[in-house]
Amino acid sequence: MVLQSLCALRAQAGASLSGLPAALEHGGPGAGLVLRSLSTDVFRNLALEDWIHDHVDLRSRGVLLLWRNSAAVVVGRHQNPWRECDLRLMRRSGVPVARRRSGGGAVFHDLGNLNLTFFSSRGGYDRRRNLRVVTGALEALRPGIDVRATDRFDILLDGHYKISGTAAKLGRTVAYHHCTLLCSADRRLLSSLLRPTCPGIHSNATASLPSPVQNLLDNDPSLTPDGILQQLAEQYLTEWGVRGGSVVAVQPDEQSFAGIDRSVSELRSWDWTHGRTPKFSVHTTLELADPTGAEVCTATAHLEVKSGRVESCELSVPPAWLPGAACADLAASLVGARFCPLEAAAAAAPFLQSEPRDVDLDARLRNLCENIVALM
Amino acid sequence: MAVRGLLRCLSSNFSSVLPSIAPSVQHSPRLLTSLSYLHRTLATSSRLSAALKFTDKHEWIRVEDNGLGTVGISNFAQEALGDVVYCGLPEVGAKLEQQDEFGALESVKAASELYSPLTGEVVEINTLLAEKPGLVNKACYTDGWLMKMSIDKPAELDALMDEKAYERYIRSIED
């Protein structure tokens, strides 16, 4: 390899990097390349990961991608977003949920969190080595800091606080391992969002393992995201013996990465983010009330949700509160609708408006419907 | 490699039989049942290994008597994956082109995509895997099958590797 001329190597690099902006080719042939995404959109960055995975020849060179997102919750490929995060609160707060293609558990991203993706050939896949880059960088910045990778490939600060979680995807010839790094994330928002949308979810989807977390900035104010980012890049290049490498900033747009826009749409689609949830059921009680709140009643609801849509809905409401037939009709109107408040409400609307009803009966039916929709 | 893999699967069956060889009247019927199961496994496994075709993505397909293809992953693949914790399988009725991604296996190591060995329609998925994803590791050629599909283009089978070719292929990747 040493004997190959620089021209030949650059030509090789050119062939494998076709589609990437010319600036990237100046990164030079070598054992490693560090990219930094200029986008803070979680869907675009996930699409960029996929693009690099699908298009870049990683047999002779690895790539480290550094990226940050505005607030988002990212769930693992086989997870249940209703169980992993409070989708209602997220909608109100404008925080999207994204589903990545790798496995693992749910994480909260915001600009105070750094994401690292280590791309390699399948043979070169080595999570422990990658995490040494992270712990090595932190130790270089703050000598004596207690950061250690666990058996589960988390990184713990002071043996106790999780500052990084890991997930990975193995493709045919290529692998990527990505991890988070909590620098200065909004921990209050993190803990308020990472809780279930509703009680009573039963699912065999992969579960998350909650851990106490801490920001590196709390441990040492000098550990800023930018400072850490720079040190990570240097550590990566050192680990892989690349001399004179630098961080290349990329704008993950369609012009430079042909096909990325379509990937962004797919990742953003409800069918991927919510519809890909393994089949689950919700079994819970509903607290029903009259408009005045003077009278109340407890009912139960059981819904089966498949591919994000209501497959069946059973309501048990005391007959003194509402006639069984009306409840059954309301339940039937929801079957086939997405397990999503807007669509479910729209699906129930024709039934609710279908016939003139006694005012009290109507109010109670609407209240029942609202309670079911509130689960979503 | 596949044959050695099969033998490894078998030896793990055998080692689960060994504890039953204890001098006890109670154990005897179970021992007999275990041995006859092992006998059957040996017999069917040799038949299995002759009928399996492999893809370069480490899936296998076996043509059944009813003309359907049973699909799974090879021992090489399950070892590389590590303990499977979740099987993401397609819907029955899904139409697949050869090499289409049809699902993913999530293991402690990573999520790994599954690629269809042939063109056809998904007729059945292994529902046991929902509760017991570990079957893919323990019995990758038998109880750990992933799905059954129709074989719409039988000619595609000819291009797949037989066991010997797959063994050579594995050796070449490992180098």
Side-chain angles (χ1 to χ4, degrees):
Chain A
M1 185 128 103
V2 172
L3 295 175
Q4 263 182 299
S5 71
L6 197 59
C7 298
L9 284 167
R10 280 184 64 83
Q12 216 178 66
S16 62
L17 289 173
S18 61
L20 284 171
L24 274 167
E25 299 184 39
H26 296 318
L33 174 65
V34 183
L35 304 175
R36 179 170 70 90
S37 172
L38 291 169
S39 171
T40 54
D41 176 64
V42 63
F43 302 104
R44 190 153 289 276
N45 282 324
L46 288 171
L48 176 59
E49 267 189 331
D50 284 341
W51 197 99
I52 297 172
H53 173 278
D54 294 342
H55 294 93
V56 176
D57 181 357
L58 293 157
R59 280 170 299 178
S60 53
R61 147 234 317 275
V63 173
L64 170 63
L65 174 68
L66 298 162
W67 43 297
R68 282 195 264 175
N69 301 316
S70 327
V73 170
V74 184
V75 300
R77 190 189 181 121
H78 300 120
Q79 289 206 295
N80 182 329
W82 285 276
R83 192 170 67 179
E84 299 302 323
C85 55
D86 187 340
L87 291 172
R88 256 200 328 275
L89 182 53
M90 285 170 63
R91 281 189 295 264
R92 282 208 301 268
S93 320
V95 177
V97 65
R99 179 188 299 272
R100 55 181 191 266
R101 295 200 199 275
S102 59
V107 283
F108 171 77
H109 288 191
D110 68 13
L111 293 173
N113 170 69
L114 269 177
N115 298 301
L116 300 90
T117 309
F118 298 85
F119 294 89
S120 67
S121 63
R122 256 191 100 128
Y125 175 67
D126 187 344
R127 288 173 295 176
R128 213 152 273 294
R129 187 179 184 190
N130 297 335
L131 292 181
R132 273 205 303 272
V133 168
V134 182
T135 53
L138 294 173
E139 280 156 2
L141 283 172
R142 167 97 164 65
I145 191 172
D146 178 5
V147 284
R148 275 174 272 158
T150 68
D151 290 339
R152 278 188 70 241
F153 303 98
D154 290 342
I155 298 179
L156 297 183
L157 175 66
D158 295 336
H160 182 58
Y161 296 106
K162 181 172 165 178
I163 55 166
S164 170
T166 265
K169 191 183 124 154
L170 298 175
R172 213 192 112 197
T173 51
V174 156
Y176 67 70
H177 159 217
H178 51 203
C179 62
T180 53
L181 191 58
L182 284 174
C183 304
S184 56
D186 184 340
R187 281 179 48 199
R188 213 173 34 91
L189 192 54
L190 184 156
S191 40
S192 70
L193 294 181
L194 290 180
R195 46 185 82 196
T197 309
C198 66
I201 295 178
H202 298 277
S203 163
N204 74 334
T206 52
S208 298
L209 231 66
S211 316
V213 297
Q214 200 182 91
N215 280 313
L216 284 164
L217 205 69
D218 296 335
N219 178 272
D220 184 339
S222 71
L223 293 171
T224 61
D226 282 323
I228 294 174
L229 196 145
Q230 197 52 45
Q231 190 65 37
L232 285 167
E234 282 177 32
Q235 202 78 23
Y236 177 80
L237 294 167
T238 306
E239 173 74 30
W240 266 267
V242 178
R243 276 191 289 274
S246 62
V247 183
V248 181
V250 294
Q251 190 65 252
D253 54 25
E254 182 69 23
Q255 204 182 0
S256 309
F257 299 86
I260 199 171
D261 279 355
R262 206 186 87 170
S263 190
V264 174
S265 305
E266 275 169 26
L267 287 163
R268 227 191 259 281
S269 72
W270 198 94
D271 282 337
W272 174 257
T273 56
H274 293 72
R276 277 289 197 156
T277 305
K279 182 169 170 173
F280 68 100
S281 64
V282 181
H283 189 96
T284 188
T285 51
L286 305 172
E287 301 304 324
L288 307 176
D290 269 339
T292 57
E295 288 201 50
V296 294
C297 165
T298 303
T300 59
H302 183 98
L303 294 99
E304 300 277 336
V305 182
K306 189 173 161 187
S307 302
R309 287 182 187 271
V310 177
E311 203 183 36
S312 70
C313 176
E314 277 162 41
L315 302 169
S316 296
V317 183
W321 188 262
L322 278 171
C327 296
D329 287 344
L330 175 63
S333 74
L334 294 172
V335 173
R338 282 179 173 172
F339 193 66
C340 146
L342 284 175
E343 283 211 20
F351 164 71
L352 289 171
Q353 288 151 18
S354 62
E355 48 198 69
R357 282 188 198 96
D358 165 67
V359 164
D360 295 332
L361 174 62
D362 191 68
R364 286 184 178 186
L365 270 175
R366 285 176 192 277
N367 173 258
L368 172 59
C369 186
E370 274 159 27
N371 270 270
I372 300 169
V373 166
L375 297 172
M376 305 177 186
Chain B
M1 189 68 178
V3 170
R4 286 201 287 280
L6 272 174
L7 286 174
R8 239 175 288 149
C9 283
L10 289 173
S11 67
S12 64
N13 284 342
F14 194 75
S15 59
S16 68
V17 165
L18 283 173
S20 306
I21 307 177
S24 152
V25 174
Q26 274 174 310
H27 284 168
S28 299
R30 214 175 44 200
L31 171 60
L32 286 172
T33 321
S34 303
L35 280 177
S36 70
Y37 167 75
L38 179 60
H39 175 74
R40 253 185 294 126
T41 313
L42 273 165
T44 52
S45 294
S46 4
R47 184 160 51 82
L48 282 179
S49 73
L52 292 176
K53 284 291 196 99
F54 295 83
T55 70
D56 63 355
K57 297 179 183 73
H58 311 287
E59 282 95 14
W60 55 261
I61 182 157
R62 181 177 67 232
V63 183
E64 307 293 353
D65 294 335
N66 57 12
L68 293 176
T70 304
V71 178
I73 62 163
S74 72
N75 187 60
F76 177 83
Q78 74 78 13
E79 271 189 350
L81 261 184
D83 292 339
V84 176
V85 300
Y86 188 86
C87 301
L89 297 175
E91 293 286 319
V92 169
K95 289 188 164 44
L96 302 168
E97 295 288 317
Q98 190 179 39
Q99 301 203 26
D100 272 356
E101 185 225 307
F102 71 85
L105 297 178
E106 190 169 336
S107 71
V108 292
K109 273 199 179 170
S112 292
E113 265 151 11
L114 298 163
Y115 302 94
S116 183
L118 301 176
T119 302
E121 188 178 312
V122 178
V123 162
E124 197 184 334
I125 60 170
N126 188 350
T127 50
L128 281 181
L129 296 177
E131 295 301 312
K132 294 190 172 155
L135 281 174
V136 175
N137 299 111
K138 287 197 264 299
C140 54
Y141 295 109
T142 55
D143 292 339
W145 62 273
L146 299 172
M147 66 157 181
K148 297 186 200 250
M149 63 187 299
S150 64
I151 301 178
D152 293 356
K153 297 182 183 171
E156 286 172 340
L157 270 169
D158 300 333
L160 298 182
M161 292 180 266
D162 64 14
E163 193 194 300
K164 279 200 170 50
Y166 180 64
E167 267 183 70
R168 283 196 302 271
Y169 172 65
I170 302 269
R171 276 200 296 273
S172 74
I173 332 174
E174 284 181 327
D175 293 336

